[in-house]
């Protein structure tokens, strides 16, 4: 029953008594706004980060063709930002900066591939979108579930690809050569790209599982930044690996 006692000091002998401070749950109920993570939060944050990625990609597409070093510099800066942003509490300014700078690197790399293989970028975007939908359907149908072993495999392959890419850059700078397994259109090189692309696609399963568990456990709305950040990294990884595989198949 509601408390009908007046708070008017004239009507109370004890003087004015301020009302108790409402809890976040009471405020949320009053304004009909959730205080915990929802699917809408994840969608809005993800779309925002993808918009920033697109802006950066547009810049990289334009300026990256005349300055190949921009892709390398932006990629290294984005790598450092991602490692810092993933530690502990997510910092939204770092995530925003990562999306923009990673976009510059992706745009510059995409321009290079498009100059070498006309029409490959739309194909890679379409392929990445289809992979995302396929992984979402597989997760919703419970055909694929996230496990600790899957997480270890995906994380290990991700860092392995990063280390191989850095080693390839060093070899190119020192000797002008490259790592054949990454770049050559040989059967082994194509098999390597196929395996990496499959593992990269499983990143989406881990992301979907995290989002579902966070929502069910009542995680704070700020976790939408972490979820959107993870989806962005997964999308970029799958897109770049799709570009690499398509380029090998078309060579």
């Amino acid at each position: 029953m509601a408390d009908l006692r007046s708070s008017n000091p004239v009507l109370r002998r004890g003087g004015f008594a301020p009302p108790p401070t409402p809890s976040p749950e009471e405020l949320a109920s009053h304004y009909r706004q959730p205080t915990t993570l929802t699917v809408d939060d994840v969608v809005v944050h993800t779309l925002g980060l993808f918009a920033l990625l697109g802006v950066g990609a547009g810049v990289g597409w334009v300026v990256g063709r005349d300055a190949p070093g921009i892709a390398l510099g932006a990629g290294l800066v984005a790598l450092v930002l991602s490692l810092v942003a993933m530690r502990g509490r997510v910092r939204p300014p770092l995530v925003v900066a990562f999306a923009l700078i990673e976009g510059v690197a992706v745009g510059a790399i995409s321009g290079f591939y498009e100059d070498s293989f006309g029409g490959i970028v739309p194909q890679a975007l379409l392929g990445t979108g289809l992979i995302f939908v396929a992984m979402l359907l597989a997760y919703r149908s419970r055909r694929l579930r996230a496990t600790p072993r899957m997480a270890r495999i995906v994380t290990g392959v991700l860092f392995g690809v990063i280390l191989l890419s850095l080693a390839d850059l060093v070899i190119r700078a020192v000797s002008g050569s490259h790592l054949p397994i990454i770049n050559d259109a040989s059967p082994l090189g194509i098999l390597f790209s196929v395996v990496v692309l499959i593992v990269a696609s499983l990143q989406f399963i881990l992301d979907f599982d995290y989002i579902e568990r966070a929502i069910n456990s009542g995680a704070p709305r700020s976790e939408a930044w972490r979820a959107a950040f993870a989806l962005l990294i997964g999308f970029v990884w799958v897109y770049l690996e799709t570009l690499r595989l398509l380029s090998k198949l078309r060579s």
Side-chain angles (χ1 to χ4, degrees):
M1 178 180 294
D3 188 0
L4 300 180
R5 291 175 297 176
S6 174
S7 60
N8 191 321
V10 177
L11 302 178
R12 292 174 59 118
R13 292 185 178 181
F16 178 77
T21 303
S23 66
E25 289 73 17
E26 291 171 337
L27 287 175
S29 175
H30 180 71
Y31 291 102
R32 296 183 179 180
Q33 293 182 353
T35 58
T36 57
L37 184 66
T38 65
V39 173
D40 290 341
D41 294 328
V42 177
V43 172
V44 170
H45 283 71
T46 302
L47 291 178
L49 289 185
F50 271 81
L52 294 174
L53 181 77
V55 172
V59 174
W61 181 278
V62 173
V63 304
R65 297 181 177 184
D66 298 328
I70 289 180
L72 174 60
L76 292 176
V77 173
L79 174 61
V80 173
L81 285 175
S82 66
L83 294 177
V84 175
M86 286 191 298
R87 294 178 61 87
R89 182 171 172 266
V90 175
R91 301 175 180 87
L94 290 181
V95 176
V96 170
F98 169 82
L100 285 170
I101 297 175
E102 181 71 1
V104 174
V106 170
I109 294 172
S110 299
F112 168 78
Y113 276 103
E114 187 66 21
D115 289 339
S116 303
F117 309 94
I120 193 173
V121 169
Q123 293 174 358
L125 288 173
L126 177 61
T128 304
L130 292 176
I131 289 174
F132 178 86
V133 173
M135 292 296 102
L136 179 59
L137 293 177
Y139 181 80
R140 293 293 300 271
S141 65
R142 307 303 180 184
R143 295 181 183 275
L144 283 177
R145 303 299 297 169
T147 63
R149 182 180 181 184
M150 179 187 293
R152 290 193 298 269
I153 292 174
V154 172
T155 303
V157 172
L158 173 59
F159 282 101
V161 170
I162 292 175
L163 292 177
L164 283 176
S165 299
L166 292 175
D168 183 62
L169 291 175
V170 173
I171 293 174
R172 287 177 181 271
V174 173
S175 64
S177 182
H178 62 269
L179 289 177
I181 193 173
I182 293 182
N183 303 282
D184 287 358
S186 63
L188 182 59
I190 293 175
L191 177 61
F192 172 81
S193 291
V194 170
V195 171
V196 172
L197 180 58
I198 292 174
V199 176
S201 302
L202 295 177
Q203 174 69 45
F204 289 134
I205 300 298
L206 299 178
D207 296 339
F208 298 150
D209 177 72
Y210 168 77
I211 293 170
E212 183 180 30
R213 288 188 294 105
I215 292 175
N216 293 338
S217 63
R221 300 182 72 181
S222 59
E223 284 300 299
W225 286 103
R226 190 187 305 276
F229 178 60
L231 288 172
L232 184 70
I233 290 179
F235 190 91
V236 169
W237 186 16
V238 171
Y239 169 72
L240 293 178
E241 293 301 333
T242 304
L243 269 180
R244 196 197 310 270
L245 176 60
L246 290 176
S247 69
K248 291 179 178 180
L249 295 175
R250 293 179 58 175
S251 293

